[in-house]
Amino acid sequence: PPTRFSHALITGASQGIGAGLARALARPGVTLWLTAVRPGGLEATARACRARGARVHERYVDARDAGAMEALVREANVAAPLDLVVANA
């Protein structure tokens, strides 16, 4: 289905709601910044999103680390303005 979001950041994207939302948004023209605390499911989510045509950036960040999250949001927003941020973790 069409979506108006083309540049999104999703925390907790390794499983559950975060992974499902990432897959639902993934399509050509969409850039996703996906985070998780530790390796594991994030790689699978990223692969699935790339297979659907999305550009994906993977980062291992603890959403409780305000400084690290701020730096990530800034990095993503400089690449292109974020139009969706999901604090799912």
Side-chain angles (χ1 to χ4, degrees):
T3 179
R4 61 186 168 101
F5 303 116
S6 62
H7 196 224
L9 185 149
I10 303 169
T11 67
S14 62
Q15 61 184 359
I17 293 169
L21 181 57
R23 287 181 176 103
L25 292 175
R27 67 174 200 204
V30 170
T31 299
L32 299 171
W33 293 75
L34 306 178
T35 76
V37 175
R38 58 187 79 66
L42 186 59
E43 294 87 356
T45 301
R47 272 193 309 276
C49 292
R50 287 184 184 109
R52 294 178 183 195
R55 181 172 181 216
V56 180
H57 301 273
E58 301 167 60
R59 297 291 190 274
Y60 295 99
V61 178
D62 187 335
R64 297 172 295 180
D65 183 337
M69 286 305 304
E70 180 181 355
L72 177 59
V73 169
R74 287 182 188 275
E75 178 185 358
N77 207 45
V78 165
L82 289 166
D83 46 28
L84 177 68
V85 175
V86 178
N88 175 64

